[in-house]
C-alpha cells in the first residue's frame, strides 16, 4: 500500500516529464547523475533505467562501473524501496545484465531514507513526483527538523516545498529539476519563500499546468503541473495550460512548442504562451493564456480594488466559538450580544440569523469591566479554565476573557458584500450591516461604489477570473475568496462608469443574473462584446 501523499504517475506522463527534463536517449546520460527523490514502486525509475541502458548499449558502456554513478533514488518506505529495486533488476536483466550485477546496481542506486535529510550527490537531473502531504499531517517535530535545514520550509508548508528546495540545491551548474507536482507554491502564502529562492538564482523555464488531466493511477485533487527549473535567474516561463482531455496523443505537439518556446500556441487540448519570469516572492497568475492576456490588459488600465474606493477584510474570529457564540438571547446582558452573520446559515437557507457573539469589547476597542456586567462575568467565569487555555489568553493573562479579534464597530450599520471563504462561483451576498460578519466570510465595503452595483461587478466572470488565476483551488475546482486574492482584482472607479451601466450592474446583482452581470461588466471595463 502506498504511503500517505504518494500517488503513482501514468507511464506517458513519466515519459513526458523525462523529455521536458531532457533526459532522453539522445542526451549524454552517462555524463552525470539523475536523482529520484521519492521513487515509490519505481514508476520513474523503470523509465529512467530503460533510457540509461539504451544509451549505455549505444556507447558500449553497459557495465556496472559505467552505470553505478548515474542514478540515485530515495524513499522512506521499506516496501517501496524493495519494489523499486526489483523493477530496476528486471530492466537490467532484460538488457542482458547478469542477476548478481543487476542486484548490485539496484542496491547502489536505491536507498531507504528521507531525501530531505539525506546526503544527496550532485545531480545533473532531479526528476520525479514528490509526495503531496499537507502540513497539518506532518508531525510537528518532523516539520521543525526540515525547517532547520531548508529555509523555504515553514511550519505551514506542505511537504513538497522541501523537495523543490533540496532538489534545486543539489543541481549541477547545467542541471535541471523537473517534477510533476502541485503548483500551489506559485500562488499561496507558504510558497512565498520558495518563489523568492527560485527567482533569485534559478528560472522556471517550463510550467505545464495539468489541472484535471488524468495523469495519475489514482484520483487526486492536488492540481499538478510539470515544472522545469534550471540555474540562472531572469528567464521567461514557457507556460502551457492543458485541458482535462490532454493525453498521450497531445504530447508530441506540446513538446515541439516547449522546445521552440516561440509565440502563442493553441491546439484542441492545450494553449500556451511565454510569460514573464518569476520575480521575488510575489504570486503569479495561472490560467489559460488568453485569459491571462485579458486580465493583464484590465490590470494595465484600471486600479486595484482597494485603490478604487473599496475596503475589505475578514469577519471576527472568537478563538473559541463554542463559548463565545450563542443562540440564547438571554445568556448575557443584551448590550453584550453582537448579532452575527454566518455564511453557512445563509447558504443553508436560514436567512434570519439567530447567532450572536458574546462580546467583551467596548465600542472604543477596550475590554469591558466584568464587574459592570454580572451575567457576562458569571458566564465567562464558568468557562474560565477553557478560555485561559487558549494561546491569546496565555499571551494576555490579565485579559484572559478577550476574543481573538476585536470587532470593528465602523462596519455596523454599513452596507457590505460578504463572500464565503470557498465557493465554486463568485456569488457575493448583500448585507445591510445589522449583523457582524463571522470569520468564515470576507467583507467588502465601498466609499465610492453603490455596493449593489459593486456586487454585480464582483459576480461577473471577468472578476471571478482574477480569483481563479491568482487563487489556489480546492477539491472540485472550488475557489478561495480570501482577501489576499480579492486584493488582486482590478476594477474601474465608479465615477468612470456611466450611470446606465451602474444601474444594470445593480439589476444583475439583485436578480442574481450572471449573464446580465457579465454583459454590464464588459461595458464597465470598456471591452465591448468581443470578449463575451
Amino acid at each position: 500500500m502506498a504511503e500517505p501523499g504518494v500517488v503513482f504517475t501514468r507511464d506517458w506522463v513519466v515519459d513526458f516529464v523525462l523529455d521536458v527534463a531532457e533526459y532522453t536517449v539522445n542526451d549524454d546520460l552517462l555524463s552525470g547523475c539523475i536523482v529520484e527523490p521519492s521513487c515509490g514502486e519505481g514508476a520513474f525509475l523503470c523509465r529512467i533505467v530503460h533510457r540509461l541502458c539504451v544509451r549505455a548499449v549505444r556507447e558500449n558502456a553497459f557495465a556496472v562501473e559505467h552505470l553505478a554513478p548515474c542514478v540515485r533514488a530515495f524513499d522512506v518506505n521499506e516496501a517501496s524501496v524493495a519494489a523499486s529495486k526489483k523493477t530496476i533488476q528486471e530492466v537490467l536483466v532484460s538488457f542482458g545484465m547478469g542477476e548478481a550485477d543487476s542486484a548490485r546496481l539496484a542496491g547502489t542506486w536505491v536507498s531507504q531514507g528521507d531525501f530531505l535529510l539525506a546526503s544527496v550527490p550532485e545531480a545533473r537531473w532531479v526528476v520525479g513526483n514528490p509526495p503531496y502531504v499537507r502540513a497539518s499531517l506532518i508531525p510537528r517535530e518532523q516539520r521543525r527538523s526540515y525547517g532547520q535545514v531548508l529555509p523555504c520550509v515553514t511550519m505551514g508548508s506542505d511537504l513538497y516545498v522541501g523537495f523543490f528546495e533540496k532538489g534545486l540545491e543539489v543541481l549541477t551548474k547545467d542541471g535541471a529539476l523537473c517534477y510533476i507536482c502541485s503548483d500551489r507554491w506559485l500562488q499561496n502564502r507558504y510558497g512565498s519563500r520558495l518563489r523568492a529562492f527560485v527567482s533569485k538564482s534559478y528560472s522556471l523555464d517550463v510550467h505545464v499546468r495539468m489541472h484535471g488531466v488524468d495523469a495519475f493511477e489514482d484520483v487526486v485533487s492536488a492540481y499538478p503541473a510539470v515544472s522545469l527549473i534550471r540555474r540562472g535567474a531572469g528567464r521567461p516561463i514557457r507556460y502551457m495550460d492543458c485541458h482535462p482531455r490532454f493525453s498521450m496523443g497531445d504530447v508530441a505537439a506540446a513538446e515541439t512548442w516547449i522546445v521552440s518556446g516561440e509565440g502563442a500556441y493553441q491546439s484542441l487540448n492545450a494553449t500556451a504562451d511565454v510569460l514573464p519570469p518569476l520575480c521575488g516572492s510575489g504570486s503569479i497568475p495561472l490560467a489559460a493564456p488568453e485569459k491571462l492576456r485579458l486580465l493583464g490588459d484590465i490590470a494595465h488600465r484600471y486600479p486595484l480594488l482597494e485603490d478604487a474606493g473599496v475596503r475589505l477584510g475578514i469577519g471576527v474570529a472568537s478563538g473559541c466559538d463554542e463559548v463565545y457564540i450563542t443562540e440564547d438571547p438571554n445568556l448575557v446582558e443584551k448590550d453584550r450580544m453582537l448579532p452575527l452573520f454566518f455564511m453557512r446559515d445563509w447558504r443553508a437557507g436560514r436567512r434570519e440569523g439567530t447567532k450572536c457573539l458574546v462580546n467583551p469589547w467596548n465600542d472604543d476597542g477596550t475590554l469591558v469591566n466584568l464587574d459592570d456586567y454580572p451575567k457576562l462575568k458569571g458566564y465567562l467565569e464558568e468557562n474560565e479554565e477553557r478560555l485561559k487555555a487558549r494561546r491569546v489568553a496565555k499571551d494576555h493573562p490579565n485579559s484572559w476573557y478577550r476574543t481573538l479579534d476585536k470587532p470593528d464597530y465602523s462596519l455596523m450599520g454599513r452596507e457590505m458584500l460578504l463572500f464565503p471563504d470557498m465557493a465554486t462561483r463568485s456569488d457575493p451576498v448583500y448585507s445591510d450591516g445589522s449583523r457582524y460578519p463571522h470569520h468564515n466570510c470576507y467583507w467588502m465595503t465601498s466609499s465610492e461604489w453603490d455596493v449593489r452595483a459593486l456586487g454585480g461587478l464582483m459576480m461577473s466572470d471577468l472578476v471571478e477570473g482574477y480569483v481563479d488565476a491568482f487563487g489556489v483551488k480546492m477539491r472540485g475546482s472550488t475557489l478561495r475568496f480570501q482577501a489576499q486574492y480579492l486584493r488582486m482584482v482590478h476594477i474601474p472607479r465608479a465615477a468612470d462608469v456611466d450611470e446606465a451601466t451602474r444601474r444594470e450592474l445593480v439589476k444583475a446583482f439583485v436578480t442574481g443574473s450572471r449573464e446580465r452581470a457579465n454583459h454590464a461588466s464588459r461595458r464597465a471595463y470598456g471591452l465591448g462584446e468581443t470578449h463575451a
Side-chain angles (χ1 to χ4, degrees):
M1 181 180 293
E3 288 286 289
V6 176
V7 293
F8 302 121
T9 315
R10 295 195 182 278
D11 288 344
W12 70 268
V13 179
V14 173
D15 285 331
F16 181 43
V17 172
L18 292 172
D19 289 350
V20 172
E22 297 182 6
Y23 191 87
T24 73
V25 295
N26 295 321
D27 294 296
D28 187 3
L29 304 186
L30 284 84
S31 66
C33 177
I34 185 169
V35 168
E36 217 286 33
S38 182
C39 61
E41 296 184 2
F44 274 86
L45 279 179
C46 177
R47 320 295 273 197
I48 287 169
V49 173
H50 187 275
R51 293 182 182 208
L52 177 62
C53 288
V54 170
R55 183 71 188 193
V57 169
R58 185 182 296 178
E59 295 188 14
N60 295 316
F62 188 67
V64 172
E65 61 269 24
H66 296 301
L67 297 174
C70 295
V71 179
R72 290 292 183 273
F74 300 84
D75 204 282
V76 296
N77 183 273
E78 182 179 359
S80 294
V81 168
S84 284
K85 288 180 178 179
K86 181 180 179 182
T87 296
I88 286 171
Q89 292 176 60
E90 290 173 352
V91 175
L92 291 170
V93 168
S94 74
F95 276 84
M97 183 174 285
E99 294 282 353
D101 282 347
S102 65
R104 184 149 58 99
L105 262 184
T108 299
W109 283 347
V110 185
S111 302
Q112 183 180 354
D114 189 334
F115 172 75
L116 300 185
L117 302 175
S119 175
V120 180
E122 193 175 50
R124 186 177 167 194
W125 303 271
V126 178
V127 176
N129 172 19
Y132 185 80
V133 180
R134 296 189 184 280
S136 59
L137 299 178
I138 307 169
R140 176 171 288 272
E141 287 307 311
Q142 188 177 356
R143 278 183 282 164
R144 198 182 308 277
S145 64
Y146 292 152
Q148 289 172 349
V149 296
L150 298 166
C152 293
V153 176
T154 68
M155 293 300 281
S157 299
D158 290 347
L159 186 63
Y160 72 87
V161 168
F163 279 79
F164 272 99
E165 184 178 2
K166 181 68 173 280
L168 291 171
E169 285 182 343
V170 302
L171 284 185
T172 58
K173 186 177 181 179
D174 61 344
L177 177 146
C178 195
Y179 287 157
I180 179 164
C181 187
S182 169
D183 62 359
R184 293 183 178 211
W185 67 278
L186 289 170
Q187 297 187 304
N188 62 16
R189 286 176 179 169
Y190 73 60
S192 62
R193 291 188 185 184
L194 181 57
R195 292 193 296 271
F197 175 75
V198 171
S199 65
K200 182 178 180 181
S201 303
Y202 303 84
S203 287
L204 177 60
D205 283 341
V206 176
H207 190 73
V208 182
R209 197 178 190 226
M210 301 179 74
H211 295 189
V213 173
D214 186 19
F216 302 109
E217 298 293 342
D218 299 314
V219 177
V220 298
S221 56
Y223 297 100
V226 175
S227 301
L228 173 69
I229 305 175
R230 295 183 184 274
R231 290 192 182 273
R235 292 190 298 274
I237 305 167
R238 284 166 279 167
Y239 171 71
M240 180 171 288
D241 184 71
C242 300
H243 189 276
R245 292 190 302 264
F246 187 90
S247 64
M248 184 167 56
D250 299 293
V251 167
E255 290 183 357
T256 298
W257 181 83
I258 288 169
V259 170
S260 68
E262 295 179 358
Y265 165 84
Q266 184 165 357
S267 69
L268 186 63
N269 294 325
T271 55
D273 209 341
V274 179
L275 303 183
L278 287 181
C279 183
S281 62
S283 62
I284 67 170
L286 294 173
E290 61 271 20
K291 180 181 284 187
L292 293 180
R293 286 192 290 270
L294 175 58
L295 297 180
D297 174 63
I298 290 174
H300 180 71
R301 293 190 292 123
Y302 297 103
L304 288 165
L305 196 72
E306 291 180 308
D307 294 329
V310 177
R311 183 177 169 225
L312 66 154
I314 190 170
V316 65
S318 73
C320 188
D321 281 0
E322 295 85 354
V323 172
Y324 285 107
I325 295 178
T326 181
E327 293 186 80
D328 180 358
N330 300 310
L331 183 66
V332 298
E333 288 81 1
K334 186 175 181 180
D335 61 341
R336 291 298 95 212
M337 301 281 275
L338 181 66
L340 287 179
F341 180 97
F342 260 68
M343 185 61 72
R344 285 193 297 269
D345 289 349
W346 178 273
R347 294 167 109 183
R350 298 187 293 272
R351 302 300 169 90
E352 297 298 325
T354 58
K355 292 184 174 68
C356 289
L357 177 76
V358 175
N359 181 21
W361 299 96
N362 289 309
D363 293 4
D364 61 2
T366 61
L367 283 163
V368 300
N369 185 337
L370 291 182
D371 290 334
D372 295 336
Y373 295 93
K375 291 178 71 174
L376 175 65
K377 181 179 181 179
Y379 176 69
L380 293 175
E381 287 180 345
E382 286 176 13
N383 294 279
E384 184 173 353
E385 183 177 353
R386 186 174 186 179
L387 295 180
K388 283 186 173 180
R390 299 171 302 148
R391 170 60 65 88
V392 67
K394 291 177 180 178
D395 290 343
H396 304 276
N398 294 327
S399 55
W400 55 269
Y401 57 93
R402 67 194 294 141
T403 55
L404 186 60
D405 294 337
K406 297 179 185 180
D408 178 356
Y409 283 95
S410 69
L411 292 179
M412 295 304 296
R414 284 198 72 175
E415 292 183 305
M416 66 183 80
L417 298 176
L418 300 175
F419 293 81
D421 180 10
M422 295 185 289
T424 56
R425 299 301 306 265
S426 181
D427 191 19
V429 173
Y430 171 81
S431 171
D432 63 4
S434 59
R435 287 184 282 164
Y436 197 95
H438 183 251
H439 73 89
N440 64 3
C441 61
Y442 293 81
W443 54 264
M444 187 179 292
T445 63
S446 180
S447 58
E448 297 183 16
W449 278 89
D450 175 334
V451 295
R452 291 179 177 84
L454 182 62
L457 196 69
M458 296 302 296
M459 68 187 286
S460 71
D461 290 346
L462 287 168
V463 169
E464 184 180 287
Y466 271 101
V467 178
D468 182 28
F470 280 96
V472 173
K473 292 185 181 64
M474 308 302 288
R475 187 183 298 273
S477 297
T478 300
L479 301 174
R480 302 296 300 271
F481 288 88
Q482 297 176 321
Q484 61 176 316
Y485 304 131
L486 291 171
R487 286 192 173 98
M488 309 300 286
V489 174
H490 290 253
I491 66 170
R493 293 187 176 279
D496 294 334
V497 178
D498 65 84
E499 185 178 349
T501 299
R502 294 199 303 270
R503 285 200 304 269
E504 187 64 18
L505 287 168
V506 171
K507 291 177 183 176
F509 180 66
V510 170
T511 61
S513 171
R514 193 171 302 276
E515 181 179 358
R516 202 166 189 171
N518 287 334
H519 178 78
S521 294
R522 288 191 293 271
R523 285 166 49 188
Y525 281 107
L527 294 174
E529 296 302 313
T530 58
H531 294 276

